[in-house]
Amino acid sequence: MPGPAQPITILVCALGGEGGGVLTEWLVEAARLAGLPVQGTSVPGVAQRTGSTTYYIEVYPHALDAGAKRPVFSLSPVPGAIDLLVSSELLETVRHIGLGMALANRTTIISASTRTLTTHERLHMGDGRVPSEPLLAAISRHSLEHQVFDMATLARESGTAVSAVMLGAIAASGVLPISRAQFERVIADDVRGTASMKGFAAAYGALTRQKESRDFVASAHAVGEAPQPDTTAAPTTGAKADFAEFPEAVRPTLALGFARMLDYQDERYARLYLDRVRTICAAEASQAGLALANDFATSRECARYLALWMAFDDIVRVADLKSRKSRLRRVRDEVKVKPGELLKVYDHFRPGIAEVAALLPEAVATRLRSWDRKRQARGAEAFAPALKIPLHGILGFASLKILSSLRWLRPHGSRYQEEQVLIEKWLAAVARGATSNWQLGQELALCGRLIKGYGSTNEQGKNHLLHIVDHLAAAAFFSGEEERALAVRDARVAALADDSGKALDVVLSSRGAPKTEVREIPIKFVRQRQPPKAEPAPAK
Amino acid sequence: MEISFDKEIRQLRLGAGETFHGEGILAITKALLQSGVAYVGGYQGSPISHLLDVMVQAKGYMDELGVHVQACSNEASAAAMLGASIHYPLRGAVTWKSIVGTNVASDALSNLASPGVTGGTLIVVGEDYGEGASVIQERTHAFAMKSSMVLIDPRPDLAVMVRMVEEGFCLSEASSLPVLMELRIRACHVRGSFTCKDNLAPADSTRKRFAEPAGFDYAKLAHPPAVFRHEKLKGEERLPAARRYIVDHHLNEMFDAARNDLGIIVQGGLYNALIRALQLFDLADTFGTTQIPMLVLNVTYPLVPEQFTSFCIGKRAVIMLEEGQPEYIEQEIATLLRRRDIQTPLHGKDLLALAGEYSIELIARGLSGFFSRYGWADVTPPVEAWLAANQARREAVADLLPAPLPPRPPGFCIGCPERPVFSALKLAQRDIGPLHIAADIGCHAFATFEPFSSGHSILGYGMSLASTAGIAPMIERRSLAIMGDGGFWHNGLITGVQSAIFNRDDVVLLIFKNGYTSATGTQEIISTPNQLTRDTARDKLQSLTSTDLTIETTLSGLGVKWMKTVHTYRVAEVRRVLLDAFTSDFAGLKVIIAEGECQLERQRRIKPWLAALMKSGERVARVRYGVDEDVCSGDHACIRLSACPTLTLKDNPDVLKVDPVATVIDGCVGCGLCGENAHVASLCPSFYRAEIVTHPRWHERMVAAIRHSVIKVFARS
């Protein structure tokens, strides 16, 4: 009998519904085929979809005689005593490293490079995603060896579940004394055999190659990093402008902004954009040292958010974007239309009075809005037809095309006028801030991020920004401009963190500024029926 | 349910000498058949669902053996089924999830345990405790003690678990006590093997029926004055008989060892964790040979005093490893030692955690304290170093991360019919203000998590409506109770609806009619669309729950006057019906039936159907939704109204914009919620619905070609 070897321990992390149970079954079967004592277990319930789940397997590395005493296997993983950690999701990998499971001089980690975002990350109004870099760093620091690769794509290309890919990776890792043929036999016996075998082989091949190149860390980071857009390449458009008078650091963003204005409206509007950025650059240049040290970050960010604000989304813009040729191509790719298949696309719209009024002159717009308000006061729902416009139909496409040609109407509309006033107000605050304290200018410029979207989202963003401009940038009392800059930053972060505006109010109050105004929401207040009056006491 | 258990059923047929390979709970099922069980019942729930699911599907084989299998309507009805063994020499087994199931069953259990049983009865409970648990954290142990039932907590080794089932029936018959067997989550799911015996066809069975019922015997009724004698019998005859059996058949295991000045007493279920912890001290080897004496309690109630006294005498101290609270065993041992004036110090909860699962790390920490207290300084340093290193690693990872990692609780499936109702509820509350919402047990309890964060209380399975009785009259706005059809049939119909009608409560009840008890593994209930309907439905994409009206007719029969049925995916309608219910002049119980078949079950039907159509070249239309990345506002309001796993984020392709945009990824089943929400909540106009037609018919192709050529002209302009 071989010496008192310890069982090989494997922790599998997956999301509910990904086939972790099947993977455990395969591993147990493979070990059994190889004649090795084995035990596997798990905690998930039967229908606990999408939550994080773990499976734990122990394999004794030597065959035992029939009557021999069997190892006592553990039912749960022991921190620092895991030989192989396999995970189908990057954050889940690190969750278990964070629980102390992996050990730098023992654990081999095989992890997906991709993220399946948690609900919590997806809810944020800005960007609530956990960055991948620290996750990858945790893997490389707490593993003996690690192989991080795109399991989801391999699975998709093989037409199988991620569990087959994970099995291939485990087989290739060489951690288990089980041959490739033994693993393959287990899969072949399974009902889902053929596709699983493809996924298994793909992962086995990919990992063997990666292992041979011995370049795990490099490959891990190559996969994990988000692609950085090349901002230097400005799109080519008709009108040309000379950006030489602007600081070099600002030019790439400026070029993009300029092109956006041309695409959105016309050359006159694009020139207005340049004039506006010029003012901010001049203001920032008054703090020459800091501006240079920071590569004109205030002007850069201001140029970014100004472009987005000036190209505010309205019916014309949406109709234009939706009816472009490139858009239809993108949709075909996204929904994976194969040759010979027909595609029908329906666009969901629900334009309200506000959207229509936006394109009309102020006087007409006011009348239209008051008509709708009166209707609502009578108990009717706000006028906003729910439309499903068939883009593949002649009428549907034509109506979008016609709407998109109404660009000329835009500058005469009430919304255009209103937006310009607000933009000027924000820019003035940024310029004032940039002149008095570089940091303050920077924070106010970044507040442009609050402006996005349509309808009530857009309204709320504007209200929040204006509130910051009115009360933090100017009115409230601070001991210094640095403190004011910090207050602006906190307010911006809070406004992005919570769409109810409560977090922003907390920050505002803590700085002595008034809370945001409570928006009027008509609530139908319904009282319960009144309790029955007490019955008179029965006569004796 | 659409899952097949053919493979499992083959395992159940294995004969003597063959080796079983599979999960713990299936091994228990096999052990029942090896013990000659005559009837089996239960109510599904993790982690024991599998036992009943497999048995129900194995009906053919059960008929061969003469075993009766029943999917009971709740745990109380399962426990009452055991009444068969009071008079008759029938072995019976039932199963459920504990602690909750045992709570529901406890009335029948008390009335079963009082007269006692003739045929062996085994109650297999899934002890849903610790990591992965989904219910309140309490111990089944209390029920064993209060009703005088045996409690088996076997070592999580398939061979031991199987033996304990067989012994459990004999023990039950030897003592007249019902026997509970508790299996922790991981023990139910453990994959291992054991050598089988032949299955035993029960002597009396559905194939060999009793010709006559048993004679009248007042002593077998849980009724005074018999109950007074029963109580005496428990203490004077039954428990002593059980103790004798435990000793005679060595159900508890005593392991002696070299370093015998200290000792460990452990619940059988914790044995493997203890051995792994002892390995860290180098006090045990891979095969479980220890250097410290151990008393392993495979039977944790009743305890055998002599086993403790002989184990404790002569030791400097012993420690009791007992999971959960209160520490009933430790208290009993303490009383026992005190009564017999044995001075061996007893440790347990003073050194180990009061609450929570006994993980290996937690056990090791407790033992380290125990060993250092009694001078075993040679064994503790490596464990202390290991504990410190674990802590250091955890801190190192935490330092590396910008913030603690977000949790990932389970959630609604892709395309779940229940999600849209919570979207509508969120929107309706914008109009009528916040409501008091009584939540319930079932998949819909996932709405308590983000982004819905809905529900004020959960009082038990099917209890939501009953739990509004006290608060509803105290709040100006009407209260809402949410219940699944599973909870409705389990309990809600009687405790909730009947009471609300009788008391003329002015409340709103929303019933999710998805057709199954989905959270426990999509088991069928009385209102499940029947199999024939499902098999013959021409369009397998459609929800079939509307084909069964058992819930509706039951409610009408009971006197519900205000009842509206609504299709869950139509968010606008659901919202409107909710508003109706909350503003209606009708003052009694208002019931909203939210209809939409469980997506998990539908997909199990749809996938093979579509694959077959595809293969035979027939027309197939699939739907999925998408987001236009350049129109998406990037504020993620759509996700806050749905949180569908396929509606997620990607980097913004517009280099000027910094925030990620919403995107629909592969896996979208085209349920339509995105589009509905975009309309009802006036979200940004970035959503589109794509219908992809494979193998289109000739006239479809022609229309498409005409459209295409006209649009091309427009597109150029």
Side-chain angles (χ1 to χ4, degrees), chain A residues 41-52:
Chain A
T41 189
S42 62
V43 286
V46 271
Q48 310 281 297
R49 300 279 145 165
T50 71
S52 55

Side-chain angles (χ1 to χ4, degrees), chain B residues 654-672:
Chain B
D654 182 343
V655 288
L656 281 174
K657 295 181 182 168
V658 291
D659 290 328
V661 289
T663 183
V664 177
I665 54 172
D666 288 352
C668 168
V669 295
C671 76

Side-chain angles (χ1 to χ4, degrees), chain A residues 89-91 93-94 111-117 121 127-140 148 220-227, chain B residues 400-402 405 651:
Chain A
E89 206 272 351
L90 184 58
L91 183 133
T93 315
V94 178
S111 172
S113 56
T114 46
R115 289 290 330 279
T116 299
L117 299 177
E121 291 171 280
D127 190 354
R129 294 176 298 177
V130 175
S132 290
E133 292 72 28
L135 301 179
L136 292 165
I139 292 178
S140 75
V148 181
H221 285 271
V223 183
E225 262 168 37
Chain B
L400 207 55
L401 299 171
L405 294 178
D651 288 327

Side-chain angles (χ1 to χ4, degrees), chain A residues 25 40 92 100 124 327 449, chain B residues 7 393 408 628 636 659:
Chain A
E25 204 178 320
E92 292 308 314
H124 198 274
R327 189 249 172 168
R449 190 174 179 180
Chain B
K7 209 166 116 192
R393 278 202 311 284
R408 195 191 298 268
D628 278 309
H636 319 137
D659 290 328

